[in-house]
Amino acid sequence: QKEVEQDPGPLSVPEGAIVSLNCTYSNSAFQYFMWYRQYSRKGPELLMYTYSSGNKEDGRFTAQVDKSSKYISLFIRDSQPSDSATYLCAMTKAAGNKLTFGGGTRVLVKP
Amino acid sequence: EAGVVQSPRYKIIEKKQPVAFWCNPISGHNTLYWYRQNLGQGPELLIRYENEEAVDDSQLPKDRFSAERLKGVDSTLKIQPAELGDSAVYLCASALGNLWAGELFFGEGSRLTVL
């Protein structure tokens, strides 16, 4: 069993819909949680990161962490075709340590 | 500001041949990572450098993989000899300092196909 599980999708939504993504993990030592976006044939780029439990909002993006359930989520409001990409969750035990990634969820926003 | 630069972007070789990938991190970033990303999977760490020192190479297959970061700037990742299972995208990433919290900057990757 992988330390971080993520549904591979693809997740297809109409433009303007809310995209809901999530990851589960098994290692309770993880403290920092991130979401990266990866376009085809590009490197991942950081969207959001949170420390410990709680919510964080940045524009159309909201990240949630529930450490008691070992579950993290990313919501994308008013989705756009340009949001079509693979979304990777990642987490680490301490700042500067290696990131453990989920396998990524492919998202397709249809105009 | 230039991002993380990697070359070559694509490489096709036959098994048992050697291959090398080069990475130039963002200026001033002293921490550098090499990750490998297999198709449909997330990146997995191969090696982490702080300046010129490899501080975590526990997941680097040392029988065939080697890496170096001379002068604490550019880095090279080498595979010799390559095997079919080495086909993947090799990603280089850099960060400012060693206590960053999430902000890893990735290059576009070097896609290796081993025939």
Side-chain angles (χ1 to χ4, degrees), chain B residues 40-96:
Chain B
Q41 298 182 25
E44 294 181 327
L45 180 70
L46 291 173
I47 189 168
R48 174 166 70 104
Y49 283 94
E50 288 181 13
N51 299 304
E52 62 273 12
E53 182 183 359
V55 296
D56 184 357
D57 63 356
S58 57
Q59 298 184 82
L60 188 72
K62 297 181 184 64
D63 56 337
R64 297 183 301 106
F65 286 66
S66 65
E68 61 182 8
R69 191 182 183 199
L70 299 177
K71 300 181 181 179
V73 181
D74 295 359
S75 178
T76 303
L77 178 69
K78 297 178 181 178
I79 308 174
Q80 182 171 11
E83 297 180 352
L84 295 177
D86 296 331
S87 295
V89 176
Y90 291 84
L91 293 163
C92 179
S94 70
L96 185 62

Side-chain angles (χ1 to χ4, degrees), chain A residues 2 32 34 36 38 41-46 49 88 92 95-99 101-104, chain B residues 9-10 33 35 37 40-43 45 48 59 98-104 106-108 111:
Chain A
K2 294 182 178 181
Y32 294 86
M34 296 125 224
Y36 281 80
Q38 186 172 27
R41 298 186 180 273
K42 299 290 186 181
E45 57 178 330
L46 181 68
Y49 83 89
L88 297 155
T92 184
N97 278 19
K98 73 166 190 176
L99 294 182
F101 283 85
Chain B
R9 289 292 317 278
Y10 304 92
Y33 305 74
Y35 280 83
Q37 186 173 24
Q41 298 182 25
L45 180 70
R48 174 166 70 104
Q59 298 184 82
N98 60 0
L99 292 178
W100 56 272
E103 190 67 277
L104 262 190
F106 284 86
E108 294 193 319
R111 183 177 297 269

Side-chain angles (χ1 to χ4, degrees), chain A residues 20-70:
Chain A
S20 175
L21 303 166
N22 57 75
C23 288
T24 58
Y25 62 95
S26 57
N27 192 336
S28 58
F30 288 136
Q31 296 284 347
Y32 294 86
F33 304 91
M34 296 125 224
W35 286 95
Y36 281 80
R37 177 175 62 196
Q38 186 172 27
Y39 291 114
S40 180
R41 298 186 180 273
K42 299 290 186 181
E45 57 178 330
L46 181 68
L47 281 176
M48 301 189 67
Y49 83 89
T50 54
Y51 171 70
S52 195
S53 287
N55 295 357
K56 188 172 184 178
E57 189 173 320
D58 184 2
R60 297 186 296 114
F61 300 91
T62 299
Q64 294 182 349
V65 175
D66 182 350
K67 290 189 66 181
S68 62
S69 302
K70 297 190 182 67

Side-chain angles (χ1 to χ4, degrees), chain B residues 14-29:
Chain B
E14 295 190 345
K15 63 181 180 181
K16 299 185 181 179
Q17 293 300 304
V19 64
F21 305 112
W22 174 81
C23 172
N24 178 240
I26 292 173
S27 178
H29 282 193

